[in-house]
């Protein structure tokens, strides 16, 4: 044992992908694949992104430089364990040695699991999948508890290049892959440092055609990533201290470096979020929102998130099973695929944000004040917790009101009769994943 376990953590560490940012930089990806010496690349995307400029730029670049590639576009918006397994099966079907993800968070998270699945050197190709080269392991073995074992692979990962087409998830910078587990009525994840992409190619031209609501809800995801990571439990208050560095969690709590990225993301949003929505042709605004997404990704990718994201999962999963008596599960949005009911992730996250930060203010009022200031609020010295909370939440309410998004669970189709099941699902998730003791008054 390298360390002796003790009550509290004393260290933090940062990971992030190499990030290349620039207008038109997508066209460089062929050179990156060639420089890797890759022989057969999988381009992971979805059917909608496959029609966009971003995908065409990738395909043209690879073709121009003579790089062999195969396209996989059977990615599910908001991936589930089953859709992830389909992607893994496809990855097993060929001798692929590199991966490119072109799309939003669902595409990038799916690609991480796929490239994660092929890590064993054989002749001139990386040919065996994680799950086939380790046949004793089940799919859930690499999932975080309580549904998985959070095993750490000891073999190196294949190169993944992530090219985001939304300004929201920040997945291009993180070691996280998120998926639904519908049979357990929750979301779960693989969280491993080795999952971070080798390179993130972040091109503002790829977000200029984002539909209005996709841009709005992606932006709310950025907002909550930054707010939650900045107000997370500090890393040096976490218990227990890991026995070895390898056991240190990816989500470590707020820390001085994540703080820098999260606060800067909030400052960018204060200046550019509204502009990016009200004038979709405002390239400067959309460029900075894309930058804020990556900034917040670095922040939350090492600090973690808390209530907004935790409470969003029962809300969004109301659509997948007959969990609730009301019609929340039947919610659809005109700017998202219409094949199935879908509460967009960013909408489900921001729905509870005001209540969440009213609740968390007492834990770290100074941080809530700093966040409110970054978003443009005036917070005098020695302001009360109530004043700070109101000013921070007014900033959130202002965005929601200006964009005319559905406000509250009722607007998503839920009724008061659904609240007990929503509450039970949320409490179950937090007590299993966060080791929180939730009092009955807090449930109310």
């Amino acid at each position: 044992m390298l360390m002796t376990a003790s009550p509290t953590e004393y260290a933090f560490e940062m990971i992030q992908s190499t990030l290349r940012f620039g207008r038109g930089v997508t066209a460089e990806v062929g050179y990156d694949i060639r420089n890797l010496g890759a022989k057969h690349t999988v381009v992971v995307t979805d059917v909608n992104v496959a029609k966009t400029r971003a995908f065409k730029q990738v395909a043209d670049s690879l073709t121009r430089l003579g790089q062999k590639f195969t396209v996989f576009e059977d990615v599910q918006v908001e991936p589930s364990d089953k859709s992830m397994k389909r992607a893994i099966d496809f990855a097993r079907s060929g001798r692929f040695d590199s991966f490119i993800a072109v799309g939003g968070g669902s595409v990038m998270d799916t690609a991480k699991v796929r490239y994660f699945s092929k890590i064993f050197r054989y002749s001139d190709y990386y040919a065996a999948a994680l799950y086939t080269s380790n046949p004793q392991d089940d799919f859930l073995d690499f999932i975080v508890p309580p549904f998985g074992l959070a095993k750490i692979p000891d073999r190196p990962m294949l190169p993944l290049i992530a090219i985001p087409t939304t300004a929201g998830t920040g997945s291009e910078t993180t070691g996280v892959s998120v998926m639904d587990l519908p049979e357990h009525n929750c979301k779960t994840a693989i969280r491993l440092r080795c999952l971070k992409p080798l390179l993130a190619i972040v091109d503002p031209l790829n977000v200029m055609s984002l539909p209005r609501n996709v841009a709005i809800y992606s932006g709310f995801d950025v907002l909550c990533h930054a707010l939650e990571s900045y107000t997370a439990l500090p890393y040096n208050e976490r218990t227990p201290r890991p026995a070895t560095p390898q056991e240190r969690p990816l989500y470590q709590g707020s820390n001085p470096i994540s703080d820098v990225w999260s606060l800067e993301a909030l400052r960018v949003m204060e200046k550019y979020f509204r502009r990016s929505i009200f004038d979709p042709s405002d390239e400067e605004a959309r460029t900075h929102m894309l930058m804020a997404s990556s900034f917040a990704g670095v922040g939350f990718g090492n600090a973690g998130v808390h209530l907004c994201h935790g409470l969003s999962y029962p809300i969004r999963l109301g659509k997948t099973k007959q969990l609730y008596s009301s019609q929340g599960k039947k919610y659809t949005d005109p700017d998202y695929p219409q094949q199935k009911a879908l509460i967009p992730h960013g909408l489900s996250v921001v729905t509870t944000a005001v209540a969440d930060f009213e609740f968390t203010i007492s834990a770290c009022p100074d941080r809530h004040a700093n966040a409110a200031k970054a978003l443009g609020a005036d917070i005098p010295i020695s302001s009360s917790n109530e004043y700070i909370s109101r000013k921070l939440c007014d900033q959130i309410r202002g965005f929601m009101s200006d964009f005319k998004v559905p406000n509250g669970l009722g607007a998503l189709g839920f009724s008061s009769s659904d609240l007990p099941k929503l509450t039970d699902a949320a409490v179950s998730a937090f007590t299993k994943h966060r080791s929180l003791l939730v009092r009955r008054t807090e449930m109310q």
Side-chain angles (χ1 to χ4, degrees), residues 106-425:
S106 297
V107 168
M108 288 186 280
D109 286 359
T110 299
K112 287 175 182 178
V113 170
R114 291 187 55 197
Y115 105 101
F116 178 48
S117 73
K118 300 174 70 62
I119 59 172
F120 184 76
R121 184 81 183 188
Y122 180 78
S123 185
D124 291 331
Y125 299 88
Y126 290 80
L130 172 66
Y131 300 102
T132 55
S133 63
N134 298 276
Q136 74 279 9
D137 292 318
D138 181 74
F139 175 76
L140 292 178
D141 285 349
F142 298 95
I143 301 293
V144 296
F147 303 109
L149 302 179
K151 293 182 66 173
I152 301 173
D154 57 5
R155 293 177 177 137
M157 295 294 118
L158 283 178
L160 166 66
I161 297 174
I163 305 176
T165 60
T166 63
T169 69
S171 185
E172 69 275 5
T173 69
T174 74
V176 182
S177 179
V178 181
M179 70 200 76
D180 292 345
L181 288 180
E183 67 178 287
H184 295 289
N185 307 327
C186 73
K187 260 184 180 288
T188 190
I190 299 174
R191 292 200 291 262
L192 293 166
R193 289 176 175 81
C194 59
L195 271 185
K196 70 178 177 63
L198 174 69
L199 172 65
I201 294 179
V202 186
D203 184 345
L205 294 181
N206 293 339
V207 298
M208 291 305 298
S209 61
L210 273 183
R212 181 182 185 277
N213 286 0
V214 176
I216 289 171
Y217 299 141
S218 297
F220 280 132
D221 203 16
V222 177
L223 177 68
C224 292
H225 282 156
L227 287 172
E228 291 173 73
S229 60
Y230 186 67
T231 57
L233 182 74
Y235 77 95
N236 55 2
E237 295 181 19
R238 291 182 61 91
T239 58
R241 179 190 301 180
T244 67
Q246 291 79 10
E247 296 173 68
R248 182 164 287 120
L250 188 64
Y251 286 177
Q252 302 158 87
S254 61
N255 61 78
I257 300 179
S258 285
D259 290 350
V260 172
W261 293 98
S262 298
L263 278 177
E264 184 59 23
L266 294 176
R267 294 187 188 103
V268 171
M269 295 201 71
E270 188 274 330
K271 185 174 182 179
Y272 292 106
F273 193 10
R274 288 179 176 86
R275 279 179 52 181
S276 73
I277 302 304
F278 294 146
D279 181 4
S281 67
D282 187 339
E283 188 172 327
E284 179 186 17
R286 293 235 163 168
T287 295
H288 280 85
M289 283 300 297
L290 183 60
M291 201 176 293
S293 175
S294 293
F295 289 174
V298 176
F300 93 85
N302 293 280
V305 290
H306 54 78
L307 284 176
C308 300
H309 276 76
L311 295 174
S312 76
Y313 302 144
I315 294 170
R316 203 182 54 72
L317 284 171
K319 68 183 174 56
T320 60
K321 296 187 73 176
Q322 300 294 320
L323 299 182
Y324 314 119
S325 60
S326 69
Q327 303 305 306
K329 59 185 173 294
K330 294 182 180 179
Y331 183 90
T332 59
D333 186 280
D335 287 341
Y336 284 79
Q338 300 296 297
Q339 293 88 342
K340 63 175 185 176
L342 176 69
I343 299 175
H345 172 68
L347 175 57
S348 68
V349 167
V350 80
T351 294
T352 65
V354 167
D356 297 335
F357 292 108
E358 288 177 341
F359 177 76
T360 58
I361 178 66
S362 61
C364 49
D366 56 333
R367 284 181 170 263
H368 287 68
N370 291 338
K373 290 176 185 177
L375 288 171
D378 180 20
I379 308 289
I381 296 174
S382 301
S383 294
S384 68
N385 286 4
E386 181 183 0
Y387 182 88
I388 295 169
S389 174
R390 184 170 70 251
K391 286 296 185 178
L392 173 58
C393 292
D394 280 349
Q395 302 304 310
I396 301 171
R397 290 188 188 97
F399 285 128
M400 296 181 72
S401 176
D402 289 349
F403 300 150
K404 295 180 172 55
V405 301
N407 186 8
L409 294 173
L412 300 180
F414 294 100
S415 71
S416 58
S417 63
D418 298 318
L419 293 180
K421 289 185 178 179
L422 281 167
T423 302
D424 288 345

Side-chain angles (χ1 to χ4, degrees), residues 21-180:
F21 192 101
R23 189 179 192 273
V25 76
T26 305
E28 295 183 358
V29 69
Y31 293 101
D32 297 307
I33 292 296
R34 187 177 69 179
N35 291 341
L36 290 171
K39 294 180 171 60
H40 195 178
T41 300
V42 179
V43 179
V44 183
T45 190
D46 65 39
V47 293
N48 294 312
V49 176
K51 303 170 186 175
T52 66
R53 172 200 176 276
F55 176 82
K56 293 174 183 176
Q57 285 283 298
V58 170
D60 289 349
S61 182
L62 294 171
T63 300
R64 186 172 64 253
L65 290 163
Q67 296 300 127
K68 182 180 180 182
F69 67 96
T70 297
V71 177
F72 178 85
E73 58 181 35
D74 187 19
V75 172
Q76 177 178 307
V77 176
E78 304 292 354
S80 66
D81 53 343
K82 291 182 179 179
S83 71
M84 291 288 196
K85 289 174 184 177
R86 288 199 303 269
I88 290 171
D89 289 342
F90 183 86
R92 289 171 172 164
S93 69
R95 290 190 164 189
F96 306 119
D97 59 0
S98 54
F99 295 78
I100 300 173
V102 189
S106 297
V107 168
M108 288 186 280
D109 286 359
T110 299
K112 287 175 182 178
V113 170
R114 291 187 55 197
Y115 105 101
F116 178 48
S117 73
K118 300 174 70 62
I119 59 172
F120 184 76
R121 184 81 183 188
Y122 180 78
S123 185
D124 291 331
Y125 299 88
Y126 290 80
L130 172 66
Y131 300 102
T132 55
S133 63
N134 298 276
Q136 74 279 9
D137 292 318
D138 181 74
F139 175 76
L140 292 178
D141 285 349
F142 298 95
I143 301 293
V144 296
F147 303 109
L149 302 179
K151 293 182 66 173
I152 301 173
D154 57 5
R155 293 177 177 137
M157 295 294 118
L158 283 178
L160 166 66
I161 297 174
I163 305 176
T165 60
T166 63
T169 69
S171 185
E172 69 275 5
T173 69
T174 74
V176 182
S177 179
V178 181
M179 70 200 76
D180 292 345

